[in-house]
Amino acid sequence: MLRCLARGLLLLSAVLLLVPWGALACSLAVPRSWTKRTADGAFELSSRVGERTFGPATLSLREVRSDKKLWEHTLQEAPYEQQALLSPSGPYVALVDDFSAEFTVYGPGGEARKLSLEPQLTAGEKRKLPQTSCGQQWVSAARFEGELLVLEVPTGGKVPPMYAQPKGTAVRFEPKTRQLTRDAPVPEKSTAELIQTYQGASEPPQRQRLAQELLERSMDVKEGGDAALSHFWQELLRAPGTQPRLQAMAVMGLGATGTEEEVRALARLPAGVPERNEKVFQALRQRVPAEAEAFGLRVLEERREPELLRARAMDFLGSRGEAVAERALPLALTDPSVQVREYALGVLAQPPLRAKAVERALPFCQDGEERLRKRATESLRRLLRGVVGPEREQAMALLRGAKKRGQLQGFPEGYVILAGVADLEKKRAEALALYREGMKGLEALPKESKWPTADLRLEAKLQLAFEAKAQGKAAELKKWAEEVLGDEHKQTFVCAPKPNAYAGGQPPDGCRGGQFTAEHVARQLLKGGTAAR
């Protein structure tokens, strides 16, 4: 299944390679009620949506002169006006979605007939249907010619230049006979004929179009199962002056048709244009992951372009085990690209958990780039909540050291975590000072950063409220409790009045996860019904 998904993504990349203009924008517009009439005004088709957005709608056809409703259907999804076609004479209605093989035709009495374009097309024609951000495009134009419904299917694909698109296929539906017919399929050239035609072509657009067709065929070949195609792609890679786009296509084609050894040889290519570098890594990762490890490390060492390639290499290497990740992280964490460093910080939070990861992430909490500060704190929160055993002690020692050096300003969560540890060690005065310091930093965070730290913030406030109660400071108790009740995350479960262990383990005098919501504990405090610490 994963291989099928990988090949599907490869095919999508191949189809999009030759579409330099922007992909079709596919925004989900809210369906609205609409009405349209035939040119002579004799019939009126209308769609009425209900109260629910994207809910059912009522589609009906009315004869205008007699004001007679001819038929009405309730549809589960409201159709858009541009999807509805009304024949010139009125009795026939079609609902056609450009990005679906299925369409529906309604007869004079409202009888619905659901049909599909898929059985009408050959495998080669389906391969050429354009892939867009909305999905696969099945229809490029639809119209009624009298009572005959004609659908234009873009079986020639979409290739540059945009103003000279290849001819598609017309599929016709005759409502009276209920027959679907189509133009006769154009016989496909053999692979050998396509290669020969490519070799004789001189114009770049024609070469790109032929290479695209050969690439699409390559996607259907069993790995290492077509020596002719494999040879063609290798020759294209070796040919001097091959355009960057064609180089990238050649790598993709060889990745699909070459033997494992031929694919492995891609790693030995010198650094090329960014587009080709990306496709080499993609082919190696899918076919020979072990070779992709070595290639990914070279990408980081040589800082090959584009930077997204280095980021993806780090992401991949981070999933290949601790030994591989350890070789990649020093390279990625010092990369000039913010994006690459951001990916590396994300890898730090992946298992296995190591105290060394805490040490690496801490400096980035004070980085000048907001993206890096955010990713570093996210990784640290995940690391510190999961680390256990001896590594927990190492992690806490690193936090204490960072506090002494004044390096926790960018990670106020660290103060609250250390406060919980101090509480468990019966160092209440130290814990209270840390809770207060942590609260200052947590309250200063932007709103979008507050929900991941809700439990830390609420635990600190409740601990300070319990201390105020113990000291008989009613006003301070009320202040902290009311702040908890005013917090939008007050339904978070907390440990208070017990200290929260946070960083793994479940000491006898602490807890992890909590049994009551912060709201419940705060209300009990205000009522005076919660036991003191």
Side-chain angles (χ1 to χ4, degrees):
M1 180 184 238
L2 289 175
R3 176 169 289 179
C4 290
L5 177 60
R7 290 176 68 81
L9 291 172
L10 193 62
L11 177 57
L12 179 57
S13 299
V15 172
L16 294 179
L17 256 176
L18 288 180
V19 187
W21 57 83
L24 293 175
C26 192
S27 59
L28 197 59
V30 177
R32 301 182 184 279
S33 299
W34 51 263
T35 298
K36 60 168 54 178
R37 290 187 176 187
T38 53
D40 59 7
F43 294 92
E44 180 181 270
L45 180 68
S46 63
S47 172
R48 295 288 175 265
V49 300
E51 295 180 359
R52 283 172 43 210
T53 304
F54 301 111
T58 301
L59 186 71
S60 61
L61 183 67
R62 182 175 72 91
E63 188 178 50
V64 176
R65 182 177 296 177
S66 64
D67 196 26
K68 179 182 178 181
K69 185 181 288 185
L70 301 179
W71 54 261
E72 180 178 280
H73 283 287
T74 299
L75 307 180
Q76 291 305 306
E77 293 183 5
Y80 295 95
E81 184 176 0
Q82 62 268 31
Q83 294 175 337
L85 291 89
L86 190 57
S87 68
S89 57
Y92 294 102
V93 172
L95 293 181
V96 180
D97 182 348
D98 292 353
F99 302 97
S100 173
E102 282 70 44
F103 63 99
T104 305
V105 178
Y106 297 90
E111 60 277 12
R113 186 170 182 83
K114 295 185 182 296
L115 302 125
S116 176
L117 292 168
E118 192 164 0
Q120 304 299 315
L121 305 184
T122 66
E125 288 172 331
K126 289 180 206 173
R127 279 200 307 269
K128 292 180 182 177
L129 293 176
Q131 293 284 353
T132 76
S133 59
C134 305
Q136 194 169 45
Q137 185 179 3
W138 286 83
V139 178
S140 55
R143 64 186 180 276
F144 270 107
E145 293 179 355
E147 294 179 348
L148 183 70
L149 176 65
V150 181
L151 304 179
E152 297 288 346
V153 184
T155 51
K158 277 197 175 182
V159 294
M162 195 174 183
Y163 55 81
Q165 294 303 299
K167 185 178 182 297
T169 300
V171 177
R172 302 171 180 85
F173 177 68
E174 171 54 68
K176 288 182 179 178
T177 62
R178 299 183 177 181
Q179 294 295 311
L180 266 175
T181 57
R182 57 154 293 169
D183 297 339
V186 178
E188 286 190 346
K189 289 184 177 181
S190 68
T191 298
E193 289 173 322
L194 278 176
I195 292 173
Q196 187 176 9
T197 305
Y198 176 91
Q199 290 167 341
S202 57
E203 294 297 320
Q206 184 186 11
R207 285 196 151 209
Q208 288 185 1
R209 193 171 297 174
L210 290 163
Q212 174 69 22
E213 190 165 350
L214 286 164
L215 182 55
E216 289 167 3
R217 289 199 184 183
S218 296
M219 297 302 108
D220 292 334
V221 173
K222 185 178 178 181
E223 293 169 356
D226 195 315
L229 274 172
S230 174
H231 179 74
F232 169 75
W233 297 123
Q234 290 180 76
E235 288 296 309
L236 192 56
L237 274 174
R238 295 190 195 104
T242 300
Q243 294 178 336
R245 192 176 296 274
L246 289 176
Q247 287 184 41
M249 293 175 68
V251 170
M252 294 172 70
L254 186 58
T257 61
T259 63
E260 187 172 301
E261 187 53 42
E262 287 169 340
V263 175
R264 198 184 299 276
L266 288 171
R268 297 191 288 273
L269 289 171
V273 294
E275 197 169 24
R276 193 189 78 178
N277 291 339
E278 283 191 278
K279 300 309 176 188
V280 168
F281 182 59
Q282 183 178 330
L284 293 172
R285 193 176 55 197
Q286 291 169 356
R287 292 285 304 276
V288 279
E291 192 68 48
E293 288 181 12
F295 183 81
L297 286 168
R298 284 203 302 279
V299 163
L300 290 172
E301 288 167 354
E302 299 170 9
R303 293 180 177 170
R304 293 192 185 183
E305 295 293 342
E307 63 181 47
L308 181 59
L309 169 62
R310 304 199 301 276
R312 286 174 174 165
M314 181 64 254
D315 191 52
F316 169 74
L317 295 169
S319 68
R320 299 294 292 175
E322 186 182 359
V324 177
E326 278 297 318
R327 293 178 63 190
L329 279 166
L331 298 168
L333 288 170
T334 55
D335 194 279
S337 164
V338 171
Q339 185 177 35
V340 177
R341 299 201 301 275
E342 186 179 14
Y343 269 64
L345 287 167
V347 167
L348 287 178
Q350 296 176 9
L353 299 167
R354 292 289 179 264
K356 188 184 292 185
V358 176
E359 185 176 13
R360 284 171 167 160
L362 272 170
F364 284 93
C365 293
Q366 299 185 82
D367 196 273
E369 288 285 345
E370 183 182 353
R371 284 166 57 186
L372 297 180
R373 294 197 303 273
K374 182 178 179 182
R375 182 55 62 90
T377 56
E378 287 173 356
S379 293
L380 279 169
R381 283 197 298 270
R382 289 178 60 188
L383 283 164
L384 293 170
R385 289 178 187 278
V387 68
V388 294
E391 289 189 338
R392 178 176 185 264
E393 298 305 318
Q394 294 176 41
M396 293 304 104
L398 287 167
L399 276 185
R400 291 189 186 99
K403 173 186 167 292
K404 286 180 181 178
R405 295 187 298 273
Q407 294 177 341
L408 282 187
Q409 298 303 317
F411 184 58
E413 297 95 321
Y415 288 112
V416 183
I417 291 171
L418 287 175
V421 174
D423 245 346
L424 289 168
E425 295 173 349
K426 311 302 182 186
K427 299 175 182 177
R428 184 61 173 168
E430 180 184 333
L432 290 170
L434 289 165
Y435 284 131
R436 289 191 175 93
E437 192 67 33
M439 277 304 308
K440 289 179 188 176
L442 291 174
E443 287 296 330
L445 291 175
K447 185 176 180 180
E448 63 271 15
S449 299
K450 286 191 173 181
W451 73 263
T453 60
D455 61 336
L456 294 162
R457 184 175 64 253
L458 294 167
E459 292 277 16
K461 288 184 177 182
L462 287 171
Q463 289 295 343
L464 292 170
F466 274 107
E467 184 62 24
K469 179 177 181 180
Q471 299 295 328
K473 298 177 180 178
E476 190 175 339
L477 163 63
K478 183 180 179 184
K479 168 187 175 295
W480 290 119
E482 287 184 345
E483 282 194 19
V484 170
L485 293 176
D487 195 299
E488 61 181 313
H489 302 103
K490 62 187 176 184
Q491 294 301 316
T492 302
F493 281 85
V494 293
C495 290
K498 292 183 177 182
N500 192 324
Y502 297 114
Q506 192 166 346
D509 297 324
C511 85
R512 185 175 60 182
Q515 295 180 324
F516 299 104
T517 65
E519 179 184 22
H520 172 82
V521 176
R523 291 194 186 283
Q524 291 300 309
L525 266 169
L526 289 174
K527 289 179 182 177
T530 301
R533 286 175 49 85

